[in-house]
Each structure stands twice: as C-alpha cells, then as structure tokens.
Amino acid sequence: MPLNMVHASDGWPRVHLTGPSGSSAEVLLYGGQVVSWKNERREELLFMSSKAIFKPPKAIRGGIPVCFPQFGNLGSLEQHGFARNRVWSVDSDPSPLPPADSQSVDLILKSTEEDLKTWPRSFELRLRVSLGAGKLTLIPRVRNTDSKAFSFTFALTNNLSVSDISEVRVEGLETLDYFDNLMRRERFTEQADAITFDGEIDRVYLSTPTKIAIIDHEKKRTLVLRKDGMPDAVVSNPWDKKAKALSDMGDEEYKTMLSVDSAAIETPIVLKPFEEWRGRQELSTVSSSYYSGQLDPRNVLRGFH
C-alpha cells in the first residue's frame, strides 16, 4: 500500500496511517515523531500542546518524541539528544512488513557530519510505526555502523491525553525503586498501591514490568503500555507552576496530559560495531471495566499477550 504523505499547514511532511476500523495516526518526518493517534471513534489519544512550536531546532511538545542518544541531561548533549529535532527519511529498504491487519511506516535517521561533531559515533536509527485495531506499535532499532563500540540511553516519550490528571491512576509500578528527578535523582521505593497525581512528578522507575496500565476513570478507558527492551519507565507531569513557565504549553494543559515513557536509562545500551539493539512498545486501549481495582500482578508480569 503506498504511503499517504501529507503536507500540513505547518510545512512539515507527515505520513498519515489509517487503521482497519477508522483509527488513524500521523507521523512527522521531523523528529520521526508520532503527533496523532485517534481511535475508531476519532478520539485523540495523544496529548499535543496547543502552543507546540513546529520550528527547528525546537522539539515539538506532545505526541511521542524519540529521545536518542541521550535521555534528559544525563550527558553532554542537548536535552534528550538530537534525534527528536532532526529530519528523518522514509526507509527505502525496510525489513519484512508486519501482518496485513496493520498499516506501517518505516523511518530512518543516519548520523550526519554535523552530529558527528557533537557525538562522534556513526549509527543508523530506525523506527517502525504500525497502526492496528485498537493499538499503536513502535519498534525502534539502533545499529552501530562505527568501527568502535558506543553506548546510549533511549526513550519513547508517550504524551497521553487524559480527561483530568487528578482522576488518573497508573498501575504496575507499585513496590518498585525510582529516581526522583525533583529530588536531585535521589532513589526511593514506591509505597503506593497505584500512582495518583496531585502535584508535579518526574520519576524514572527502574526494572519495570513489560505491562503498565494508565486508568482514566472519567473517560472509562484504560491505556495499556506493553514494552520490551526498555526496562525503565518515566512518569511525569509538569503541574501548574512549570506549565506556566513553559512557552510552548498552555497554562492549564497539564490537567489533560500525562507522560509515561518506555526507556533504557539506568543501564545504557552498549553496541559493538555492527551490532543492533531493538526495542518494542505497544499502546492499546481497553474499556476500564476490564480492570477492576488493581492489576493482577501475575498478569502484569506476563508481558506480551
């Protein structure tokens, strides 16, 4: 099926994917960033700031940015690395396509001479975005095309649309250790049965299960995040004061968003020459009646099903 390439009013080409039952997704070539995912009822499932700036070198606030080769400020590069503010290409030689019940696009980003000045390592970063019935799957791959080994940290930042952040709970991360970025990365252990929100949060949960549930009581909808190859999970919301200080975010928009990221942060990924790392994440929606109370830990830890 030929790709549906659209040039929107912001000037950036984007690929439009259409699912089997009316769902859709849009992927910008700038940043290789998913900026929209709508379900069969045309409801937007991802948060995009109304003040997002579509102008290089600014990263776009919202959707699913790709953080590579550095997460946050954990290194010498710009915040969250440079992949999210580079123009990617459609991969002309992708690996075999996924099942016919999903529409996909394969994107690629290769190291440029400019990038090599700040991060002197030659690489190929690929991203497959697949839209299926009730789910959105992202498969990132990093290949070392250098003559020496290198390491990197990585994240897919899932900016999710929620009805009211104070009515949302995240299950699957209870009893885990986390670094609190608001407390100079001090390490704590999660004590709550589920994570709920009444103020700013920015935590890196460690050695997380392959399955995390984001339960939106008001929308009676649960988003399930399944991930592989990315053992950490970042949970964040800027809350009111920080939202007001962000020029590319509306003052009240923190109330309708939550970021839950698939990440490899605590232990950087190391690749020898010509080795390849592959991750996978799947976002899917289910009716909240599917989850009564806490997730059964046995089901949380089973992984992809």
Side-chain angles (χ1 to χ4, degrees), residues 57-258:
K58 184 75 175 174
I60 298 166
R61 186 172 296 282
I64 309 178
V66 178
C67 302
F68 171 88
Q70 171 187 302
F71 179 82
N73 57 3
L74 303 175
S76 59
L77 299 174
E78 60 200 271
Q79 175 90 353
H80 293 315
F82 49 72
R84 64 183 187 150
N85 51 28
R86 296 289 186 272
V87 178
W88 295 45
S89 304
V90 174
D91 191 351
S92 58
D93 185 27
S95 55
L97 290 171
D101 66 346
S102 63
Q103 191 183 10
S104 301
V105 61
D106 288 272
L107 301 180
I108 185 169
L109 180 70
K110 296 183 181 181
S111 44
T112 64
E113 286 187 20
E114 198 64 33
D115 294 332
L116 289 169
K117 291 176 185 175
T118 54
W119 200 65
R121 297 150 184 92
S122 181
F123 68 89
E124 290 178 355
L125 168 56
R126 287 178 167 83
L127 179 67
R128 169 171 293 175
V129 181
S130 299
L131 178 68
K135 64 183 180 180
L136 181 73
T137 304
L138 279 72
I139 300 176
R141 291 183 291 149
V142 177
R143 178 175 287 274
N144 181 348
T145 56
D146 212 299
S147 58
K148 56 187 181 296
F150 64 67
S151 65
F152 62 93
T153 50
F154 187 92
L156 295 172
T157 300
N158 300 301
N159 291 289
L160 307 175
S161 174
V162 299
S163 55
D164 178 352
I165 185 63
S166 63
E167 296 292 323
V168 172
R169 56 194 280 136
V170 175
E171 297 186 358
L173 301 175
E174 47 276 7
T175 75
L176 298 181
D177 283 3
Y178 63 87
F179 291 125
D180 193 331
N181 289 326
L182 303 179
M183 302 278 287
R184 298 185 300 280
R185 300 193 77 240
E186 193 174 338
R187 189 168 180 146
F188 297 92
T189 300
E190 183 57 63
Q191 304 293 335
D193 290 338
I195 303 168
T196 55
F197 304 93
D198 59 5
E200 184 183 356
I201 185 171
D202 188 356
R203 298 174 182 172
V204 180
Y205 286 85
L206 309 172
S207 303
T208 60
T210 56
K211 186 175 174 182
I212 299 166
I214 301 96
I215 301 166
D216 190 330
H217 292 292
E218 199 167 303
K219 287 187 175 175
K220 295 183 173 59
R221 182 174 69 208
T222 295
L223 262 173
V224 179
L225 170 63
R226 293 176 173 87
K227 58 191 182 62
D228 191 41
M230 294 175 277
D232 305 319
V234 186
V235 178
S236 62
N237 180 292
W239 220 252
D240 53 351
K241 287 183 181 176
K242 188 166 283 186
K244 285 184 171 70
L246 294 168
S247 61
D248 59 349
M249 188 170 180
D251 290 356
E252 301 293 315
E253 287 186 325
Y254 74 92
K255 295 177 180 177
T256 57
M257 66 83 63
L258 175 65

